[in-house]
Structures are given as C-alpha cells and as structure tokens.
Amino acid sequence: MDRRSPEQAALKRRHLQMLEEYRHKLWREPELRDLFLELTLRCNENCIHCGSRCGERESEELSLAQYQTFLRKILRDFGAGTDAAGRPLQAGPGSAGLPRLCITGGEPMLRRDFFELMEWAHAQGFRWGMTSNATLIDRAAARRLRETGMGTISVSIDGPEATHDAIRKVPGAWRRAMRGIENLLEEGGFSHVQVTTVVNHRSIRELETLYKLLDPLDIDSWRVIGMEPIGRALDHPDLLLTPEDQRYLFDFIRDKRQADIPVLYGCSHYLGTDYEREVRDWYFLCNAGIYVAGIMANGDIGACLDIERRPETVFGNILRDDFTEVWKQGFQIFRRHPGEDNAACRACEHYAFCGGGSFHSWDYDRGEQRVCMRGILFE
C-alpha cells in the first residue's frame, strides 16, 4: 500500500511511464556511459557474498599493452571531438562522448601496473572511478590516486569491525579499510568518496550501529544494498534477506534520506511506487547493455559484471572481436525486458515499470527472477 498521497503516487506512475518509453528508445539507441574494466579476479579478501567468486579462482588477465590498444579504440569510436582545451569530450545524458571508466576486480590495486595503466588512461582524457576494499590505500597511494585523476571511489564496509572481518574472512580488514578511507579524505581532491555496504540476514540489524561509526567521516554518500543471490552468495541461502529484512532495509534508507542524510539504495530492483524515488535519486532502470558494458579480466565482453557469465551473456572477447560492433549489435538480450518470455511477469500489473527486474539477479536456467519485491513492498 502506498504511504504517499494519491497525488504523489500518480506523479510517480507518470514518471515511470515516461521512463518506460525512454527505455524503449535506449533499446534502439543505447548510450555507453560507463565502461567497467575488471582488471583482475585476484583479491586479498574472500567475501561470502562476492558475485564473481574472487579470491578462489585463477585470474587470466590482459596486459597493459592490450588495455592500451583497446582504450585507443574506445577513443576513436566513442570520442566526440575535443573541447576548447583539446580534451576529449565525455559522455553524458543525451550526449555522445567517451564513457567513464569504472575500475573493478577483484581488488584492482593488486595489479603491479595499476598506476601505470590509470596514469596512461587519464592522460588520454578518460575520467575514471574505482571500486576497492581500500586496504591497500596508504597515504602514498591516496596521493597517487589523486594525481592519476581518480574522481570517484566506492569502498566496501559491510558492518562494524567484527562483522566486516567475518564477512571478508580477513582479520584486520575493517581497520585497514577505514584507514584507507581516512587517507583518501585527508588527501582530498576527489569528487566523490562513497562507502558501500552489503547487508545480510545476520548483519542487517547492525545498520544503525554502522551509521554511527560512519557518520563522523566526511564521506559523500553511503550506499546500502542487500546481499544478492549471485556468485558465492548462492552458497549461503540462510544469509539472504527475508521479506521482513527487505522492509527494514528500505525503511532505514528512507528515514535517513528524509533526515537529509546521504544514504541510498543501488539500482538493483523495482520497488513499487511507495519506495521508488524515496530510497535512491531516481527510478528503477537496469543499465545493463543500454548504459553499461563491462570487460572481464580475460577480455570477455559483457554488460553489468554482476550478471552470471554464460554463453548468452558473454559477447566475444576484445582480443578477437570488435567491441564497438558488439555494443551496437551484440547486446540484444539486454535490449528487451528480462521477463519478456515469462508469462507470470508479463501478466503482472507492474510489468511496464519492472519488466522482470534486474538482469544480474535473473535465473537464466529457470527463466525467472530470483528477487521480486511484489508481495514484500507492494501488492
């Protein structure tokens, strides 16, 4: 049931209808805004919820020269000229230009040539940000990250100290990560420093405790998401959020936002008109294949890197295939609703706004969504 006024709910539905029309436009004319580079699957932690199962598998990795060759192609194919200062134009809403590089792993900083690669990319005019556990960010690393042009970073903190260390299976991980955040903030010069927290069934009631630990830090935002049924998390079904947990999570985020505290939820799921636009800055839209592409550690081409890696979700490899052509022609699975072939999804009155939900939590074997908020947040 909507807690907002009928007028507010009606306005949201109009916005969602406009977004659905815009989504169809993006299916025809996708805009590559964020290009994820999974530099490595190696990691110095072993998180129980890791979607890529990092830290327990071999990491076949591209060389520095191979990344440079690929990024030169991105410059040629996606650049939209230069500005008055001779810098490449960047991508943005409704515009062409270079996508932002989103650096991820594993732990990206485990690569010995990490700074060499990012210095080179920055010199070519790429904007870039990173997801990291921050345990390797000492004062010298923080300074070099600023000097190499890193604009944004999201650091994983999954609970108070004991909880975080248990989730990541590394004693001392919390203290090193918090010190990494402090080093970034002391260095300054970054456009956005974010903390991301993945909560599970056991840790969700510690959110207020964690908030009190993070509140003294001058971070720009706190992103809180639930443990998703992907990757290693599938080995721990007892830790997935219950319906009661989900309601607690979204009420917690909404309450903080109403108090002007910069807490937000991710893009993961359609939440119904009661919660849409209340817990994040805009409405649900799965960006896979319309705004987002990803290059896996071995060069394989995909969309969102949280999506299960299987033949229908991998579209060749940048060492053999033309990425630009793949982006234009090869992502058709993501340029339709995931629920298009699911009769129950199509019959749902929320289908126009949800479409079957996010691609990363879709069960490709069963042809159904693993996480649906209908019956939990809305009827």
Side-chain angles (χ1 to χ4, degrees):
M1 179 181 296
D2 289 341
R3 301 181 186 181
R4 301 292 149 179
S5 69
E7 294 78 13
Q8 289 173 315
L11 177 62
K12 288 181 178 182
R13 284 192 289 271
R14 287 197 296 274
H15 286 167
L16 285 163
Q17 183 60 52
M18 293 170 62
L19 182 60
E20 170 64 358
E21 294 170 2
Y22 182 61
R23 182 187 287 114
H24 282 262
K25 176 181 181 295
L26 287 172
W27 289 346
R28 298 188 303 271
E29 303 172 10
E31 300 175 11
L32 182 59
R33 298 185 182 181
D34 291 318
L35 178 58
F36 283 75
L37 301 182
E38 181 185 69
L39 298 189
T40 182
L41 287 173
R42 289 178 290 133
C43 193
N44 54 354
E45 298 183 336
N46 193 26
C47 307
I48 61 175
H49 56 250
C50 182
S52 301
R53 296 182 179 269
C54 297
E56 66 179 34
R57 53 195 293 187
E58 294 296 322
S59 181
E60 182 182 352
E61 299 171 10
L62 302 180
S63 68
L64 173 63
Q66 288 169 329
Y67 275 119
Q68 290 172 331
T69 298
F70 171 67
L71 292 175
R72 287 190 188 99
K73 177 175 175 55
I74 298 298
L75 283 164
R76 291 193 304 269
D77 294 353
F78 291 88
T82 58
D83 61 18
R87 295 168 299 200
L89 293 175
Q90 304 295 335
S95 67
L98 287 180
R100 178 180 60 168
L101 301 182
C102 303
I103 306 304
T104 185
E107 172 48 53
M109 294 182 67
L110 286 175
R111 281 187 65 114
R112 293 181 180 178
D113 58 4
F114 170 79
F115 282 110
E116 186 177 358
L117 172 59
M118 300 324 302
E119 285 172 347
W120 181 88
H122 177 56
Q124 308 312 303
F126 284 102
R127 295 171 302 149
W128 69 280
M130 179 171 66
T131 300
S132 172
N133 61 37
T135 59
L136 303 178
I137 302 178
D138 56 19
R139 287 304 305 272
R143 182 174 302 109
R144 199 164 182 196
L145 287 168
R146 178 182 56 78
E147 293 171 348
T148 56
M150 186 183 77
T152 63
I153 186 168
S154 184
V155 176
S156 301
I157 299 290
D158 292 323
E161 183 172 0
T163 298
H164 179 86
D165 288 2
I167 288 173
R168 296 187 166 256
K169 298 185 178 180
V170 177
W174 190 87
R175 293 193 179 192
R176 289 192 292 273
M178 292 294 284
R179 185 56 189 159
I181 294 171
E182 292 169 358
N183 289 333
L184 290 165
L185 296 173
E186 290 173 11
E187 180 64 30
F190 306 104
S191 61
H192 200 98
V193 176
Q194 179 184 82
V195 166
T196 292
T197 297
V198 178
V199 292
N200 61 51
H201 176 60
R202 294 178 188 168
S203 67
I204 190 166
R205 301 294 168 163
E206 296 180 314
L207 276 174
E208 187 62 40
T209 299
L210 181 57
Y211 166 70
K212 292 176 180 177
L213 293 170
L214 296 176
D215 185 46
L217 301 177
D218 189 26
I219 59 174
D220 296 292
S221 64
W222 181 27
R223 180 171 172 259
V224 185
I225 56 179
M227 182 171 167
E228 295 284 277
I230 58 176
R232 198 178 287 134
L234 291 170
D235 301 337
H236 304 279
D238 57 310
L239 295 182
L240 297 175
L241 298 187
T242 66
E244 182 183 3
D245 294 336
Q246 297 281 15
R247 290 188 287 269
Y248 180 90
L249 170 64
F250 295 115
D251 285 340
F252 175 88
I253 296 173
R254 182 162 61 182
D255 289 347
K256 294 301 183 193
R257 289 173 67 86
Q258 289 176 348
D260 290 325
I261 298 167
V263 184
L264 70 155
Y265 182 63
C267 62
S268 295
H269 306 292
Y270 174 70
L271 308 177
T273 55
D274 189 18
Y275 288 93
E276 285 292 336
R277 194 66 170 85
E278 303 292 323
V279 298
R280 53 190 166 206
D281 294 340
W282 196 237
Y283 298 93
F284 168 72
L285 177 67
C286 184
N287 295 325
I290 53 175
Y291 286 148
V292 169
I295 306 303
M296 301 169 205
N298 66 351
D300 282 350
I301 303 169
C304 168
L305 292 175
D306 283 335
I307 294 172
E308 183 180 352
R309 299 170 190 193
R310 48 193 293 141
E312 62 265 47
T313 62
V314 176
F315 308 94
N317 186 288
I318 62 169
L319 301 182
R320 303 185 302 271
D321 301 287
D322 187 304
F323 171 81
T324 305
E325 288 305 309
V326 171
W327 172 252
K328 291 177 179 179
Q329 305 295 335
F331 281 77
Q332 297 309 310
I333 187 177
F334 301 122
R335 291 167 189 166
R336 58 188 292 224
H337 286 311
E340 187 170 312
D341 297 325
N342 183 292
C345 282
R346 293 197 317 274
C348 177
E349 63 183 284
H350 301 274
Y351 180 70
F353 305 149
C354 173
S358 290
F359 283 99
H360 78 274
S361 54
W362 189 258
D363 188 325
Y364 292 87
D365 290 319
R366 299 172 64 89
E368 62 186 25
Q369 181 58 242
R370 290 185 174 120
V371 180
C372 179
M373 296 298 174
R374 187 176 185 183
I376 299 176
L377 301 182
F378 59 93
E379 297 302 324

